[in-house]
Amino acid sequence: MSQEESPTFEARLSEQEYYRPPPAFIGQANVSDPDIYNRFDEYPEGFEEYAELVDWDERWDTILDASDPPFFSWFGGGKLNASYNCVDRHLEEYGDKTAFVWEGEPGDTRRIAYQDLYHRVNEVAAVLQSVGVEEDDVVTLHLPMVPELPITMLACARIGAPHSEVFGGFTAPALANRLEDANSRYLVTIDGYYRRGEFLDHKRKADAAVEELEGDVDTVLVWTREDELHPDTNMVDGRDVLVADLLDDHRGDHIDPVSRNASDTLFLMYTSGTTGKPKGAQHGTGGYLSYVAGTSKYLFDIHPTDTYWCFADIGWITGHSYIVYGPLAIGTSSVMYEGAPDHPHKGRVWEIAERYDVDIFHTSPTAVRMFMRWGEEYLEPYDFNFKHMTTVGEPIQPEVWRWYYTYVGHETAVIVDTWWQTETGGVVISNLPALDDMKPGSVGRAMPGIKPAIFDEEGNEIEAGSGNAGYLVLTRPWPGILQTLYGDDERYISEYWEEFSDTESDDWRDWVYKAGDSAVQAADGYYRVMGRVDDVMNVAGHRLGSMELESVIVEVPEVSEAAVAARDHPQKGEVPDVYAVLMEGIEPSESIREEVVSAVETEIGKFARPENVEFVNALPYTRSGKIMRRLLGEISNDRSLSDTTTLEDPDVPERIREQVHVS
Ligand code: WT7
């Protein structure tokens, strides 16, 4: 992979100056002694420091069981409950402390103290049991940013039922897919929620998904956003139950948290891969909880007195790890917001930051680019003062970083960029905020105990400072690592391990985790992550597989074949471009174009909307019949075409390019 292939990041590849963390920040930081890196270099013993942050019913006897790679098991023999750790154990000291202060989009607010959270979680656990949910049953959630989402997750964790939350923005077919893959018989949804002033009918997506599955889902639990049910909500007799009605029978109930093995599953989180079928990243209890608690304390630097706001959606891994499990495990007071950042005005985020006196702010580069485009005048009226800010999900361009530093951080906040994935459970590459200097556009060094490397095609390590990009890999297991892909151990091995591991070996040192990203490491050890190397794109921080989109697009009757490539986009990072071949005798038309766009919007979600739809005569196939999406990406981004000699017809890309750039 040559650097010329990523000209977007050319700017980032020039060296940037360092910024020192402010002394006031260092003085109060949870970690300010660089010895932490040495402690964690004792491997795997160092990671016990994270496990010590969690309460165990029984202490572990094995730190890392690596006897069956790549199925690693952390803190084996240990027993614990995640809901107990996030709720019960704080009651004595922090019963009155705010766990969440939630703001609805219309301006309604709710403060939920740890004591309240305890009652709600217990009652909902009782409700789940009352409809038949048992330990190890997968409960699918399709909930937006309402307090009922973390409450339901913790209620599941309390009774040992793994939850599988599907991002609220996903539509019915995407939900049905995930319900089916997880063999989930229970679905929890809500009648509606607010977005840009509109009270959306959310449950209809659940209805369509469940109908599609024809009886596999037997119980749909329905939360209510307001006192009155959404006027369009249709309750199906014998299948749909209002949580509010069941709660009436379970007020004040207490359900003992079940003691789970460290390796028992806590949740599934579906994510996109290189095939059309989404994959269920399966996370365990002990290793995951320890890892997110540890990183919340050391990296997000949360103190009991802080107000923390992770401005992300719980429907993705960021929210699971850094709104729910990590922060609650260490007794954090968090802000949660339901709606759009520009409703009713573009200062909404800063108004909330001022109102709740937020100290720590976490968001994505896409959000920062959006704030930057709106302009700093929207921040000026508000008096807020962050000491610590982070970004996640995409590379951040140095100029965007500087805007964030200046206008959001007022040049006094420390900023860390955090690289990780659904699969890694928690952040694995980032600077610890008080220990390393900031460098715009760089994600920083490895977290304690993590050993990344950059490999070339042959699996040889590329040296730091060489200026060459390569495949980002992780060379030893860490406690937050996924356990497997739900129900598909083989795909787990082929997606992440096969390429750079000796799969015959039972020594973990021969197993190397391939992240799917390209990266470069500067001489100072800082990594710069450039993007995916596979057919996966990153749209506004959301991972989307090309094949997932293509399989939806070819469902349009007039379309015979389709390929999707990523186009660089100034705000969203990347957006999909569609190249479609029509059926014999069908002429391209505006209405087919609209059909394609609407298929994506309805089958996947609005966030996946294609930027351009091009009707072409042929797609660039290799002689072995693989679509070379990379070439289409070069056309979309107006870059020079790389090698086309392996194509069945090497002239196809040039013909497409002429068509695209003429029209
Ligand atoms: C992919 C993972 C981890 C929570 C959000 C996304 C990209 C993530 C960064 C970063 C550059 C990043 C990678 C990665 N990514 N963080 N700091 N700099 N790229 O989770 O949906 O599992 O996506 O997001 O490409 O592989 P996800």
Side-chain angles (χ1 to χ4, degrees), residues 318 392-395 417-422 517 532 538 543:
T318 303
V392 63
E394 308 150 75
D417 183 6
T418 63
W419 180 88
W420 56 297
Q421 310 177 292
T422 302
D517 281 1
R532 304 286 307 187
N538 192 326
R543 206 202 291 190

Side-chain angles (χ1 to χ4, degrees), residues 12 271-272 316-318 365 391-396 417-424 426 429 443 515-518 528-532 538 541-544:
R12 303 182 44 223
T271 187
S272 298
W316 306 102
I317 191 71
T318 303
T391 56
V392 63
E394 308 150 75
I396 183 161
D417 183 6
T418 63
W419 180 88
W420 56 297
Q421 310 177 292
T422 302
E423 295 86 343
T424 67
I429 303 181
V443 69
D517 281 1
S518 71
R528 288 175 164 136
V529 175
M530 306 161 64
R532 304 286 307 187
N538 192 326
H542 302 322
R543 206 202 291 190
L544 260 183

Side-chain angles (χ1 to χ4, degrees), residues 550-597:
E550 290 159 8
S551 58
V552 165
I553 295 162
V554 295
E555 297 283 311
V556 173
E558 294 87 350
V559 173
S560 121
E561 294 171 85
V564 173
R567 169 190 291 268
D568 296 332
H569 186 279
Q571 263 85 49
K572 297 181 187 165
E574 291 179 334
V575 288
D577 270 2
V578 175
Y579 293 85
V581 179
L582 295 176
M583 295 286 186
E584 281 289 321
I586 304 277
E587 288 299 311
S589 70
E590 192 49 40
S591 75
I592 304 177
R593 190 185 308 271
E594 276 161 25
E595 258 185 279
V596 167
V597 172

Side-chain angles (χ1 to χ4, degrees), residues 272-276 279 491 495 532 534-536 545-547 629:
S272 298
T274 48
T275 70
K279 40 191 190 182
R491 187 171 179 199
E495 289 248 355
R532 304 286 307 187
D534 47 15
D535 292 322
V536 173
S546 292
M547 287 186 53
R629 299 183 184 80

Side-chain angles (χ1 to χ4, degrees), residues 22-300:
F25 179 85
I26 299 174
Q28 61 83 64
N30 282 330
V31 182
S32 51
D33 180 357
D35 184 53
I36 181 167
Y37 292 112
N38 301 329
R39 293 200 303 274
F40 278 75
D41 272 343
E42 296 293 317
Y43 182 84
E45 291 78 9
F47 282 117
E48 285 184 301
E49 194 167 322
Y50 288 166
E52 303 283 0
L53 296 173
V54 166
D55 278 1
W56 297 78
D57 304 336
E58 272 171 49
R59 199 182 159 88
W60 59 92
D61 46 44
T62 322
I63 303 169
L64 168 63
D65 176 355
S67 59
D68 182 24
F71 304 96
F72 301 108
S73 164
W74 284 86
F75 309 120
K79 287 184 155 253
L80 76 167
N81 181 283
S83 147
Y84 174 87
N85 269 283
C86 290
V87 186
D88 307 41
R89 70 161 172 160
H90 302 312
L91 294 181
E92 202 173 318
E93 200 179 343
Y94 293 143
D96 293 333
K97 187 176 191 263
T98 300
F100 288 111
V101 51
W102 174 82
E103 193 161 306
E105 197 191 67
D108 44 340
T109 61
R110 280 162 67 185
R111 189 182 88 90
I112 300 167
Y114 275 92
Q115 188 69 41
D116 305 321
L117 190 60
Y118 172 77
H119 290 302
R120 298 295 88 76
V121 168
N122 272 281
E123 289 162 359
V124 176
V127 163
L128 291 170
Q129 285 184 338
S130 76
V131 297
V133 178
E134 290 179 4
E135 192 172 353
D136 294 321
D137 286 344
V138 177
V139 179
T140 299
L141 279 45
H142 187 227
L143 290 168
M145 284 292 281
V146 290
E148 287 69 26
L149 173 50
I151 289 169
T152 311
M153 288 164 67
L154 292 165
C156 288
R158 194 165 192 88
I159 60 173
H163 52 77
S164 171
E165 152 74 1
V166 177
F167 170 57
F170 273 120
T171 53
L175 173 61
N177 238 314
R178 288 155 177 77
L179 275 162
E180 190 175 30
D181 189 82
N183 299 311
S184 191
R185 289 171 44 224
Y186 302 96
L187 175 59
V188 184
T189 186
I190 190 165
D191 61 341
Y193 66 98
Y194 289 91
R195 195 75 192 173
R196 297 217 160 80
E198 200 185 333
F199 187 30
L200 301 176
D201 172 8
H202 184 62
K203 180 174 175 286
R204 72 185 163 81
K205 301 190 215 168
D207 292 339
V210 172
E211 266 156 44
E212 188 179 324
L213 295 177
E214 293 172 357
D216 294 349
V217 176
D218 37 47
T219 309
V220 180
L221 290 172
V222 185
W223 285 100
T224 28
R225 170 65 176 82
E226 302 282 4
D227 295 337
E228 298 280 310
L229 202 57
H230 189 292
D232 298 333
T233 299
N234 173 32
M235 296 290 286
V236 175
D237 245 9
R239 185 196 79 184
D240 299 353
V241 197
L242 288 178
V243 180
D245 289 348
L246 295 175
L247 276 174
D248 285 341
D249 302 332
H250 295 281
R251 287 280 166 228
D253 278 13
H254 290 279
I255 302 292
D256 284 338
V258 297
S259 208
R260 298 279 279 168
N261 293 319
S263 60
D264 285 341
T265 304
L266 179 60
F267 67 89
L268 307 180
M269 165 63 57
Y270 279 85
T271 187
S272 298
T274 48
T275 70
K277 191 171 165 256
K279 40 191 190 182
Q282 177 181 318
H283 282 286
T285 306
Y288 171 82
L289 194 67
S290 302
Y291 198 74
V292 296
T295 46
S296 293
K297 180 159 182 181
Y298 291 180
L299 172 61
F300 290 83

